[in-house]
Amino acid sequence: VRLVLRDQERAGIDIVTDGEQTRRHFVTTFIEQLDGVDFANRRTVRIRNRYDADVPVVTGPVARRHPVFVDDAAFLRGATDARFLRSATDRRVKVTLPGPMTMVDTLYDAHYRSREKLAWAFAEILNAEAREIAATGVDVIQFDEPAFNVFFDEVRDWGVRTLERAAQGLPCTTAVHICYG
């Protein structure tokens, strides 16, 4: 991560990141730390109407029992932590989180049985995580929402509102990344 930061600094980048160097997947690295998700018994689903994947199953209420990307313990869970990132550079720093709709689209839901209800649960979890990340001095939190490029009706009906809830009240800049355009 230090090498990634130094490369970005030498390139003149104003807002640097950890490059997600230690994350196995931009969504599941976060989800695997939540209660209510079974990674052992997977189901096959269509991801963003593009490909099939074996994904974890939501088996109960989703809940965040501890910060995922905030402190040193994040290293043990396979991710760079925000506090380390903030301390490793004098540049502005950005941390990325998956968006609620993309999280929903990366799971099989056997509990809520509603993409919207599950997205609202994730929005609350993401807001709590983002607030703790921001408290470390992170300058930008980016929510990654590639599902916004596929499910236009859901984006209109509840996707934007769940994303707004995830970012609500944050004392830092927020950004949204929508890829696969």
Side-chain angles (χ1 to χ4, degrees):
V1 172
R2 289 183 198 276
L3 294 174
V4 169
L5 288 172
R6 296 308 163 257
D7 284 348
Q8 292 173 76
E9 290 169 348
R10 280 193 296 275
I13 296 173
D14 296 330
I15 302 171
V16 297
T17 75
D18 65 0
E20 296 188 26
Q21 295 297 305
T22 58
R23 296 186 192 180
R24 287 176 297 285
H25 185 271
F26 82 107
V27 179
T28 55
T29 300
F30 185 79
I31 292 174
E32 68 189 1
Q33 298 303 313
L34 304 180
D35 290 336
V37 182
D38 179 0
F39 275 76
N41 300 300
R42 295 174 176 257
R43 299 282 296 267
T44 302
V45 299
R46 191 101 179 129
I47 304 288
R48 286 179 276 297
N49 287 337
R50 288 187 167 84
Y51 60 92
D52 292 333
D54 291 332
V55 299
V57 178
V58 177
T59 57
V62 291
R64 174 180 162 265
R65 58 187 169 274
H66 51 71
V68 178
F69 298 137
V70 174
D71 59 28
D72 296 85
F75 282 118
L76 301 175
R77 295 187 297 270
T80 301
D81 68 86
R83 197 172 322 278
F84 169 80
L85 182 62
R86 174 66 282 159
S87 72
T89 182
D90 60 357
R91 301 279 171 100
R92 295 177 62 203
V93 296
K94 175 177 79 171
V95 170
T96 60
L97 290 171
M101 181 179 275
T102 297
M103 290 173 74
V104 166
D105 195 52
T106 312
L107 297 165
Y108 179 85
D109 176 18
H111 176 74
Y112 293 87
R113 301 194 187 281
S114 162
R115 288 171 57 88
E116 181 178 0
K117 287 178 184 176
L118 181 55
W120 280 107
F122 283 143
E124 295 297 326
I125 289 167
L126 287 165
N127 185 259
E129 180 75 12
R131 285 175 180 269
E132 290 190 52
I133 288 170
T136 69
V138 164
D139 302 287
V140 178
I141 295 176
Q142 173 180 297
F143 292 96
D144 293 337
E145 276 290 20
F148 271 30
N149 197 27
V150 179
F151 304 109
F152 302 116
D153 291 341
E154 289 178 320
V155 170
R156 182 194 62 237
D157 294 345
W158 52 265
V160 170
R161 287 182 292 127
T162 59
L163 180 60
E164 288 172 340
R165 176 60 191 113
Q168 184 177 352
L170 295 179
C172 62
T173 301
T174 57
V176 179
H177 172 70
I178 303 170
C179 51
Y180 300 116

